[in-house]
Each structure stands twice: as structure tokens, then as C-alpha cells.
Amino acid sequence: MSALTPWGEPRVLTRRTRTSVKVSTECDGIGFQALLEDGQQVTAIELWWPGEDTDTSTRVLLNGDDVFRTPAEDIFRNAAANGWRVDESQPENPIIPGVSLGFTRQTSQDVPRDPGGLPLYITSVLVGGGDYYAYRYQGGA
């Protein structure tokens, strides 16, 4: 909680039936959550774009590409060119497993979309520990 306080008053979001906790706040129009999936320590941070009408000077960069302002396909192509494996088997939620980055391409907002109906731009990015997405590659999904 104290680590998030400089960016605004954090809100704790939790359910009584689960041990996981989300602490949410925003900074300069960019929303973010600290995920404490075991209820004790941060396991991931998720940043999300507030929408087309929000003016912010904050940039979230991946190898120099602005994650929320660069077309998603360019982000993934550049990541692959960097030698990272990009898993787009779930097109709305692609990941880069070795780097433990997860992306969301979902929104209810009226935004430009590709021919498949996905938003042209990433709407959120999750940064987890080194093995955060390892479960996808152990026997299945």
C-alpha cells in the first residue's frame, strides 16, 4: 500500500471467497493494479490505458515502443524480432512467456479495430515474475 500511495489513494479490491488481493490506483491517467494473488506479496503489476479521450504524457515502453500508442501488431513483430517468443494463441490476450508480459486487446469502447475485430492497440499490459505464464506450457493450454 505504501509503495502505491505516491500516485494517489490506493483502493483495495478483494473478494471474501478468495485470498487474492488487488490494490488499484492511477497516475497521470494510466491505471494500475498491484496483484497479490497469495494475499501476501505482489505477484504482478497490471497497467491499463484509460481510453482514447484521456490526455496523458506518461509512456509505457517496451524496447522503445509505446505499448499503448503503437499498433499491437507492431509491438508483437518487434518483440519477435528481438528474439522473444510471442504467443498469440489467445488473440485477445497474447503473452510473451519468457519475459512474463501479458497483453489485453479487449475493450467495450468504440476504438479502431483490425479486420478480426480486435482493437488495433493494446488496452492493458501485465508484468509478472519470470515464470508467471509457465502454467500455459506445462501439459497443455
Side-chain angles (χ1 to χ4, degrees):
M1 293 293 287
S2 62
L4 296 177
T5 302
W7 293 293
E9 187 62 35
R11 298 177 311 275
V12 176
L13 311 169
T14 188
R15 295 183 196 165
R16 291 182 180 194
T17 59
R18 300 181 73 182
T19 59
S20 67
V21 175
K22 295 179 183 178
V23 181
S24 179
T25 191
E26 86 169 46
C27 175
D28 191 32
I30 302 291
F32 59 95
Q33 288 184 340
L35 308 178
L36 295 82
E37 292 161 307
D38 64 359
Q40 300 297 314
Q41 67 184 36
V42 174
T43 52
I45 300 289
E46 185 171 17
L47 306 164
W48 69 91
W49 184 246
E52 299 296 314
D53 297 332
T54 302
D55 186 30
T56 177
S57 61
T58 299
R59 296 173 54 207
V60 177
L61 302 176
L62 177 62
N63 285 334
D65 292 328
D66 188 324
V67 171
F68 297 123
R69 293 181 179 108
T70 303
E73 292 308 318
D74 292 345
I75 295 284
F76 304 140
R77 184 175 28 260
N78 293 342
N82 192 47
W84 294 335
R85 187 169 116 238
V86 179
D87 178 350
E88 294 185 76
S89 62
Q90 295 180 18
E92 292 181 328
N93 298 291
I95 65 172
I96 303 176
V99 185
S100 289
L101 292 174
F103 303 91
T104 302
R105 292 181 70 185
Q106 301 171 335
T107 183
S108 60
Q109 296 180 20
D110 184 23
V111 297
R113 296 180 182 268
D114 69 15
L118 292 171
L120 291 178
Y121 299 92
I122 292 165
T123 56
S124 74
V125 60
L126 182 139
V127 181
D131 62 350
Y132 192 83
Y133 289 105
Y135 72 90
R136 268 200 188 174
Y137 301 98
Q138 297 173 354

mmCIF file of all heavy atoms in Angstrom, residues 40-78:
data_model
loop_
_atom_site.group_PDB
_atom_site.id
_atom_site.type_symbol
_atom_site.label_atom_id
_atom_site.label_comp_id
_atom_site.label_asym_id
_atom_site.label_seq_id
_atom_site.Cartn_x
_atom_site.Cartn_y
_atom_site.Cartn_z
ATOM 1 N N GLN A 40 -0.432 -11.970 0.097
ATOM 2 C CA GLN A 40 0.679 -11.500 0.912
ATOM 3 C C GLN A 40 1.684 -10.628 0.177
ATOM 4 O O GLN A 40 2.130 -9.621 0.696
ATOM 5 C CB GLN A 40 1.426 -12.699 1.512
ATOM 6 C CG GLN A 40 0.572 -13.563 2.401
ATOM 7 C CD GLN A 40 0.063 -12.811 3.616
ATOM 8 O OE1 GLN A 40 0.821 -12.113 4.284
ATOM 9 N NE2 GLN A 40 -1.224 -12.909 3.886
ATOM 10 N N GLN A 41 2.089 -11.049 -1.042
ATOM 11 C CA GLN A 41 3.125 -10.294 -1.745
ATOM 12 C C GLN A 41 2.718 -10.067 -3.196
ATOM 13 O O GLN A 41 1.926 -10.809 -3.759
ATOM 14 C CB GLN A 41 4.473 -10.995 -1.668
ATOM 15 C CG GLN A 41 4.557 -12.306 -2.397
ATOM 16 C CD GLN A 41 5.908 -12.953 -2.178
ATOM 17 O OE1 GLN A 41 6.498 -12.861 -1.109
ATOM 18 N NE2 GLN A 41 6.407 -13.637 -3.190
ATOM 19 N N VAL A 42 3.303 -9.038 -3.791
ATOM 20 C CA VAL A 42 2.988 -8.674 -5.170
ATOM 21 C C VAL A 42 3.492 -9.763 -6.122
ATOM 22 O O VAL A 42 4.661 -10.149 -6.068
ATOM 23 C CB VAL A 42 3.612 -7.310 -5.537
ATOM 24 C CG1 VAL A 42 3.401 -6.990 -7.005
ATOM 25 C CG2 VAL A 42 3.027 -6.206 -4.661
ATOM 26 N N THR A 43 2.603 -10.267 -6.955
ATOM 27 C CA THR A 43 2.967 -11.279 -7.952
ATOM 28 C C THR A 43 2.982 -10.708 -9.360
ATOM 29 O O THR A 43 3.598 -11.279 -10.248
ATOM 30 C CB THR A 43 1.999 -12.473 -7.906
ATOM 31 O OG1 THR A 43 0.661 -11.983 -8.004
ATOM 32 C CG2 THR A 43 2.173 -13.251 -6.610
ATOM 33 N N ALA A 44 2.300 -9.583 -9.565
ATOM 34 C CA ALA A 44 2.275 -8.953 -10.889
ATOM 35 C C ALA A 44 1.765 -7.521 -10.748
ATOM 36 O O ALA A 44 1.112 -7.173 -9.766
ATOM 37 C CB ALA A 44 1.377 -9.743 -11.841
ATOM 38 N N ILE A 45 2.085 -6.735 -11.759
ATOM 39 C CA ILE A 45 1.578 -5.361 -11.876
ATOM 40 C C ILE A 45 0.870 -5.267 -13.212
ATOM 41 O O ILE A 45 1.397 -5.706 -14.237
ATOM 42 C CB ILE A 45 2.726 -4.323 -11.840
ATOM 43 C CG1 ILE A 45 3.516 -4.395 -10.525
ATOM 44 C CG2 ILE A 45 2.196 -2.920 -12.108
ATOM 45 C CD1 ILE A 45 2.773 -3.898 -9.311
ATOM 46 N N GLU A 46 -0.314 -4.699 -13.223
ATOM 47 C CA GLU A 46 -1.047 -4.511 -14.479
ATOM 48 C C GLU A 46 -1.302 -3.029 -14.704
ATOM 49 O O GLU A 46 -1.727 -2.315 -13.799
ATOM 50 C CB GLU A 46 -2.383 -5.258 -14.452
ATOM 51 C CG GLU A 46 -3.101 -5.176 -15.772
ATOM 52 C CD GLU A 46 -4.322 -6.072 -15.847
ATOM 53 O OE1 GLU A 46 -4.815 -6.518 -14.800
ATOM 54 O OE2 GLU A 46 -4.773 -6.325 -16.970
ATOM 55 N N LEU A 47 -0.975 -2.579 -15.905
ATOM 56 C CA LEU A 47 -1.204 -1.191 -16.319
ATOM 57 C C LEU A 47 -2.275 -1.199 -17.391
ATOM 58 O O LEU A 47 -2.260 -2.066 -18.266
ATOM 59 C CB LEU A 47 0.078 -0.593 -16.897
ATOM 60 C CG LEU A 47 1.315 -0.666 -16.012
ATOM 61 C CD1 LEU A 47 2.561 -0.402 -16.828
ATOM 62 C CD2 LEU A 47 1.195 0.327 -14.885
ATOM 63 N N TRP A 48 -3.174 -0.231 -17.370
ATOM 64 C CA TRP A 48 -4.172 -0.173 -18.422
ATOM 65 C C TRP A 48 -4.362 1.245 -18.919
ATOM 66 O O TRP A 48 -4.223 2.210 -18.207
ATOM 67 C CB TRP A 48 -5.491 -0.828 -18.004
ATOM 68 C CG TRP A 48 -6.265 -0.112 -16.945
ATOM 69 C CD1 TRP A 48 -7.221 0.837 -17.125
ATOM 70 C CD2 TRP A 48 -6.147 -0.274 -15.537
ATOM 71 N NE1 TRP A 48 -7.703 1.259 -15.923
ATOM 72 C CE2 TRP A 48 -7.070 0.595 -14.937
ATOM 73 C CE3 TRP A 48 -5.356 -1.084 -14.724
ATOM 74 C CZ2 TRP A 48 -7.209 0.694 -13.558
ATOM 75 C CZ3 TRP A 48 -5.506 -0.976 -13.351
ATOM 76 C CH2 TRP A 48 -6.418 -0.108 -12.790
ATOM 77 N N TRP A 49 -4.661 1.297 -20.202
ATOM 78 C CA TRP A 49 -4.872 2.554 -20.905
ATOM 79 C C TRP A 49 -6.268 3.058 -20.591
ATOM 80 O O TRP A 49 -7.240 2.314 -20.707
ATOM 81 C CB TRP A 49 -4.708 2.323 -22.400
ATOM 82 C CG TRP A 49 -4.795 3.554 -23.228
ATOM 83 C CD1 TRP A 49 -5.761 3.856 -24.133
ATOM 84 C CD2 TRP A 49 -3.884 4.645 -23.247
ATOM 85 N NE1 TRP A 49 -5.508 5.067 -24.713
ATOM 86 C CE2 TRP A 49 -4.357 5.582 -24.177
ATOM 87 C CE3 TRP A 49 -2.716 4.926 -22.544
ATOM 88 C CZ2 TRP A 49 -3.707 6.776 -24.441
ATOM 89 C CZ3 TRP A 49 -2.057 6.120 -22.806
ATOM 90 C CH2 TRP A 49 -2.553 7.019 -23.746
ATOM 91 N N PRO A 50 -6.406 4.323 -20.230
ATOM 92 C CA PRO A 50 -7.719 4.821 -19.817
ATOM 93 C C PRO A 50 -8.675 5.098 -20.970
ATOM 94 O O PRO A 50 -9.852 5.289 -20.751
ATOM 95 C CB PRO A 50 -7.369 6.110 -19.078
ATOM 96 C CG PRO A 50 -6.103 6.559 -19.719
ATOM 97 C CD PRO A 50 -5.360 5.297 -20.081
ATOM 98 N N GLY A 51 -8.185 5.130 -22.178
ATOM 99 C CA GLY A 51 -9.072 5.364 -23.320
ATOM 100 C C GLY A 51 -8.588 6.471 -24.227
ATOM 101 O O GLY A 51 -7.697 7.244 -23.885
ATOM 102 N N GLU A 52 -9.194 6.508 -25.373
ATOM 103 C CA GLU A 52 -8.798 7.445 -26.421
ATOM 104 C C GLU A 52 -8.942 8.909 -26.011
ATOM 105 O O GLU A 52 -8.201 9.757 -26.478
ATOM 106 C CB GLU A 52 -9.632 7.182 -27.682
ATOM 107 C CG GLU A 52 -9.456 5.797 -28.254
ATOM 108 C CD GLU A 52 -8.043 5.544 -28.743
ATOM 109 O OE1 GLU A 52 -7.486 6.404 -29.436
ATOM 110 O OE2 GLU A 52 -7.504 4.476 -28.430
ATOM 111 N N ASP A 53 -9.907 9.223 -25.167
ATOM 112 C CA ASP A 53 -10.179 10.623 -24.835
ATOM 113 C C ASP A 53 -9.338 11.155 -23.680
ATOM 114 O O ASP A 53 -9.467 12.302 -23.307
ATOM 115 C CB ASP A 53 -11.665 10.795 -24.504
ATOM 116 C CG ASP A 53 -12.553 10.479 -25.693
ATOM 117 O OD1 ASP A 53 -12.094 10.639 -26.844
ATOM 118 O OD2 ASP A 53 -13.707 10.060 -25.466
ATOM 119 N N THR A 54 -8.497 10.329 -23.119
ATOM 120 C CA THR A 54 -7.683 10.736 -21.979
ATOM 121 C C THR A 54 -6.334 11.253 -22.467
ATOM 122 O O THR A 54 -5.668 10.614 -23.264
ATOM 123 C CB THR A 54 -7.468 9.554 -21.023
ATOM 124 O OG1 THR A 54 -8.742 9.085 -20.600
ATOM 125 C CG2 THR A 54 -6.658 9.975 -19.821
ATOM 126 N N ASP A 55 -5.963 12.418 -21.974
ATOM 127 C CA ASP A 55 -4.686 13.011 -22.342
ATOM 128 C C ASP A 55 -3.684 12.722 -21.232
ATOM 129 O O ASP A 55 -3.912 13.056 -20.078
ATOM 130 C CB ASP A 55 -4.860 14.522 -22.534
ATOM 131 C CG ASP A 55 -3.601 15.174 -23.055
ATOM 132 O OD1 ASP A 55 -2.840 14.506 -23.780
ATOM 133 O OD2 ASP A 55 -3.378 16.353 -22.728
ATOM 134 N N THR A 56 -2.592 12.065 -21.587
ATOM 135 C CA THR A 56 -1.557 11.756 -20.598
ATOM 136 C C THR A 56 -0.190 11.889 -21.255
ATOM 137 O O THR A 56 -0.028 11.590 -22.438
ATOM 138 C CB THR A 56 -1.730 10.335 -20.017
ATOM 139 O OG1 THR A 56 -0.651 10.081 -19.123
ATOM 140 C CG2 THR A 56 -1.730 9.270 -21.088
ATOM 141 N N SER A 57 0.762 12.342 -20.492
ATOM 142 C CA SER A 57 2.135 12.426 -21.001
ATOM 143 C C SER A 57 2.921 11.171 -20.652
ATOM 144 O O SER A 57 4.060 11.012 -21.081
ATOM 145 C CB SER A 57 2.825 13.665 -20.427
ATOM 146 O OG SER A 57 2.878 13.574 -19.015
ATOM 147 N N THR A 58 2.330 10.287 -19.875
ATOM 148 C CA THR A 58 3.015 9.061 -19.455
ATOM 149 C C THR A 58 3.128 8.093 -20.622
ATOM 150 O O THR A 58 2.183 7.890 -21.373
ATOM 151 C CB THR A 58 2.248 8.388 -18.294
ATOM 152 O OG1 THR A 58 2.214 9.302 -17.202
ATOM 153 C CG2 THR A 58 2.924 7.098 -17.863
ATOM 154 N N ARG A 59 4.299 7.493 -20.756
ATOM 155 C CA ARG A 59 4.529 6.491 -21.802
ATOM 156 C C ARG A 59 4.970 5.204 -21.132
ATOM 157 O O ARG A 59 5.784 5.216 -20.225
ATOM 158 C CB ARG A 59 5.605 6.984 -22.766
ATOM 159 C CG ARG A 59 5.174 8.238 -23.523
ATOM 160 C CD ARG A 59 6.279 8.839 -24.355
ATOM 161 N NE ARG A 59 6.845 7.838 -25.253
ATOM 162 C CZ ARG A 59 8.092 7.868 -25.704
ATOM 163 N NH1 ARG A 59 8.906 8.833 -25.345
ATOM 164 N NH2 ARG A 59 8.538 6.930 -26.522
ATOM 165 N N VAL A 60 4.428 4.095 -21.600
ATOM 166 C CA VAL A 60 4.829 2.773 -21.141
ATOM 167 C C VAL A 60 5.582 2.150 -22.300
ATOM 168 O O VAL A 60 5.007 1.921 -23.366
ATOM 169 C CB VAL A 60 3.599 1.922 -20.745
ATOM 170 C CG1 VAL A 60 4.023 0.524 -20.343
ATOM 171 C CG2 VAL A 60 2.828 2.607 -19.618
ATOM 172 N N LEU A 61 6.886 1.901 -22.127
ATOM 173 C CA LEU A 61 7.739 1.485 -23.236
ATOM 174 C C LEU A 61 8.160 0.022 -23.140
ATOM 175 O O LEU A 61 8.432 -0.482 -22.057
ATOM 176 C CB LEU A 61 8.991 2.355 -23.286
ATOM 177 C CG LEU A 61 8.771 3.855 -23.425
ATOM 178 C CD1 LEU A 61 10.104 4.595 -23.360
ATOM 179 C CD2 LEU A 61 8.034 4.181 -24.709
ATOM 180 N N LEU A 62 8.216 -0.617 -24.293
ATOM 181 C CA LEU A 62 8.777 -1.946 -24.445
ATOM 182 C C LEU A 62 9.762 -1.865 -25.598
ATOM 183 O O LEU A 62 9.365 -1.669 -26.743
ATOM 184 C CB LEU A 62 7.685 -2.985 -24.743
ATOM 185 C CG LEU A 62 8.176 -4.408 -24.994
ATOM 186 C CD1 LEU A 62 8.894 -4.963 -23.757
ATOM 187 C CD2 LEU A 62 7.010 -5.312 -25.381
ATOM 188 N N ASN A 63 11.038 -1.932 -25.291
ATOM 189 C CA ASN A 63 12.092 -1.773 -26.304
ATOM 190 C C ASN A 63 11.918 -0.501 -27.126
ATOM 191 O O ASN A 63 12.115 -0.492 -28.332
ATOM 192 C CB ASN A 63 12.136 -2.986 -27.232
ATOM 193 C CG ASN A 63 12.752 -4.182 -26.564
ATOM 194 O OD1 ASN A 63 13.550 -4.046 -25.652
ATOM 195 N ND2 ASN A 63 12.384 -5.349 -27.016
ATOM 196 N N GLY A 64 11.523 0.567 -26.472
ATOM 197 C CA GLY A 64 11.369 1.849 -27.139
ATOM 198 C C GLY A 64 10.011 2.071 -27.784
ATOM 199 O O GLY A 64 9.706 3.188 -28.197
ATOM 200 N N ASP A 65 9.189 1.037 -27.889
ATOM 201 C CA ASP A 65 7.835 1.177 -28.453
ATOM 202 C C ASP A 65 6.861 1.557 -27.351
ATOM 203 O O ASP A 65 6.847 0.931 -26.286
ATOM 204 C CB ASP A 65 7.357 -0.136 -29.086
ATOM 205 C CG ASP A 65 8.116 -0.513 -30.334
ATOM 206 O OD1 ASP A 65 8.548 0.405 -31.066
ATOM 207 O OD2 ASP A 65 8.279 -1.722 -30.580
ATOM 208 N N ASP A 66 6.032 2.545 -27.603
ATOM 209 C CA ASP A 66 4.996 2.946 -26.668
ATOM 210 C C ASP A 66 3.888 1.890 -26.714
ATOM 211 O O ASP A 66 3.179 1.765 -27.712
ATOM 212 C CB ASP A 66 4.457 4.322 -27.040
ATOM 213 C CG ASP A 66 3.519 4.892 -25.995
ATOM 214 O OD1 ASP A 66 2.750 4.120 -25.384
ATOM 215 O OD2 ASP A 66 3.545 6.119 -25.798
ATOM 216 N N VAL A 67 3.749 1.114 -25.664
ATOM 217 C CA VAL A 67 2.840 -0.030 -25.639
ATOM 218 C C VAL A 67 1.401 0.352 -25.960
ATOM 219 O O VAL A 67 0.692 -0.399 -26.630
ATOM 220 C CB VAL A 67 2.912 -0.747 -24.261
ATOM 221 C CG1 VAL A 67 1.828 -1.792 -24.114
ATOM 222 C CG2 VAL A 67 4.278 -1.361 -24.069
ATOM 223 N N PHE A 68 0.943 1.522 -25.515
ATOM 224 C CA PHE A 68 -0.445 1.902 -25.712
ATOM 225 C C PHE A 68 -0.680 2.774 -26.943
ATOM 226 O O PHE A 68 -1.831 3.026 -27.307
ATOM 227 C CB PHE A 68 -0.987 2.616 -24.472
ATOM 228 C CG PHE A 68 -1.010 1.739 -23.251
ATOM 229 C CD1 PHE A 68 -0.344 2.101 -22.105
ATOM 230 C CD2 PHE A 68 -1.700 0.539 -23.253
ATOM 231 C CE1 PHE A 68 -0.365 1.295 -20.974
ATOM 232 C CE2 PHE A 68 -1.739 -0.283 -22.129
ATOM 233 C CZ PHE A 68 -1.062 0.106 -20.990
ATOM 234 N N ARG A 69 0.381 3.229 -27.589
ATOM 235 C CA ARG A 69 0.204 4.113 -28.752
ATOM 236 C C ARG A 69 0.767 3.536 -30.044
ATOM 237 O O ARG A 69 0.634 4.135 -31.098
ATOM 238 C CB ARG A 69 0.847 5.462 -28.458
ATOM 239 C CG ARG A 69 0.139 6.232 -27.358
ATOM 240 C CD ARG A 69 0.828 7.579 -27.126
ATOM 241 N NE ARG A 69 0.172 8.360 -26.112
ATOM 242 C CZ ARG A 69 0.659 8.581 -24.903
ATOM 243 N NH1 ARG A 69 1.818 8.057 -24.542
ATOM 244 N NH2 ARG A 69 0.006 9.321 -24.037
ATOM 245 N N THR A 70 1.420 2.392 -29.967
ATOM 246 C CA THR A 70 1.965 1.703 -31.134
ATOM 247 C C THR A 70 1.007 0.567 -31.474
ATOM 248 O O THR A 70 0.564 -0.141 -30.564
ATOM 249 C CB THR A 70 3.366 1.128 -30.826
ATOM 250 O OG1 THR A 70 4.217 2.199 -30.407
ATOM 251 C CG2 THR A 70 3.962 0.437 -32.034
ATOM 252 N N PRO A 71 0.655 0.378 -32.748
ATOM 253 C CA PRO A 71 -0.242 -0.729 -33.083
ATOM 254 C C PRO A 71 0.258 -2.054 -32.493
ATOM 255 O O PRO A 71 1.457 -2.348 -32.516
ATOM 256 C CB PRO A 71 -0.237 -0.748 -34.612
ATOM 257 C CG PRO A 71 0.049 0.679 -34.985
ATOM 258 C CD PRO A 71 1.032 1.161 -33.932
ATOM 259 N N ALA A 72 -0.663 -2.837 -31.952
ATOM 260 C CA ALA A 72 -0.327 -4.095 -31.286
ATOM 261 C C ALA A 72 0.502 -5.003 -32.178
ATOM 262 O O ALA A 72 1.482 -5.603 -31.720
ATOM 263 C CB ALA A 72 -1.602 -4.804 -30.834
ATOM 264 N N GLU A 73 0.148 -5.109 -33.447
ATOM 265 C CA GLU A 73 0.897 -5.997 -34.344
ATOM 266 C C GLU A 73 2.347 -5.562 -34.474
ATOM 267 O O GLU A 73 3.240 -6.396 -34.581
ATOM 268 C CB GLU A 73 0.216 -6.086 -35.708
ATOM 269 C CG GLU A 73 -1.130 -6.807 -35.662
ATOM 270 C CD GLU A 73 -1.065 -8.186 -34.990
ATOM 271 O OE1 GLU A 73 -0.100 -8.950 -35.249
ATOM 272 O OE2 GLU A 73 -1.965 -8.496 -34.194
ATOM 273 N N ASP A 74 2.606 -4.253 -34.435
ATOM 274 C CA ASP A 74 3.990 -3.760 -34.471
ATOM 275 C C ASP A 74 4.728 -4.119 -33.184
ATOM 276 O O ASP A 74 5.903 -4.493 -33.219
ATOM 277 C CB ASP A 74 4.027 -2.252 -34.684
ATOM 278 C CG ASP A 74 3.551 -1.833 -36.071
ATOM 279 O OD1 ASP A 74 3.458 -2.693 -36.968
ATOM 280 O OD2 ASP A 74 3.259 -0.630 -36.242
ATOM 281 N N ILE A 75 4.042 -4.003 -32.043
ATOM 282 C CA ILE A 75 4.648 -4.381 -30.757
ATOM 283 C C ILE A 75 5.089 -5.841 -30.808
ATOM 284 O O ILE A 75 6.219 -6.180 -30.460
ATOM 285 C CB ILE A 75 3.658 -4.173 -29.591
ATOM 286 C CG1 ILE A 75 3.315 -2.706 -29.406
ATOM 287 C CG2 ILE A 75 4.174 -4.818 -28.304
ATOM 288 C CD1 ILE A 75 4.363 -1.862 -28.740
ATOM 289 N N PHE A 76 4.194 -6.722 -31.280
ATOM 290 C CA PHE A 76 4.492 -8.155 -31.291
ATOM 291 C C PHE A 76 5.548 -8.507 -32.336
ATOM 292 O O PHE A 76 6.417 -9.334 -32.093
ATOM 293 C CB PHE A 76 3.217 -8.972 -31.494
ATOM 294 C CG PHE A 76 2.163 -8.670 -30.454
ATOM 295 C CD1 PHE A 76 0.836 -8.570 -30.800
ATOM 296 C CD2 PHE A 76 2.511 -8.458 -29.128
ATOM 297 C CE1 PHE A 76 -0.130 -8.279 -29.846
ATOM 298 C CE2 PHE A 76 1.554 -8.165 -28.160
ATOM 299 C CZ PHE A 76 0.232 -8.076 -28.528
ATOM 300 N N ARG A 77 5.512 -7.862 -33.482
ATOM 301 C CA ARG A 77 6.521 -8.099 -34.522
ATOM 302 C C ARG A 77 7.903 -7.672 -34.017
ATOM 303 O O ARG A 77 8.889 -8.383 -34.193
ATOM 304 C CB ARG A 77 6.145 -7.352 -35.805
ATOM 305 C CG ARG A 77 7.077 -7.596 -36.974
ATOM 306 C CD ARG A 77 6.649 -6.945 -38.281
ATOM 307 N NE ARG A 77 5.857 -5.729 -38.185
ATOM 308 C CZ ARG A 77 4.519 -5.679 -38.326
ATOM 309 N NH1 ARG A 77 3.832 -6.771 -38.551
ATOM 310 N NH2 ARG A 77 3.875 -4.536 -38.234
ATOM 311 N N ASN A 78 7.985 -6.525 -33.374
ATOM 312 C CA ASN A 78 9.257 -6.041 -32.847
ATOM 313 C C ASN A 78 9.769 -6.921 -31.708
ATOM 314 O O ASN A 78 10.969 -7.158 -31.594
ATOM 315 C CB ASN A 78 9.135 -4.589 -32.379
ATOM 316 C CG ASN A 78 8.906 -3.634 -33.541
ATOM 317 O OD1 ASN A 78 9.165 -3.965 -34.703
ATOM 318 N ND2 ASN A 78 8.397 -2.453 -33.241
#
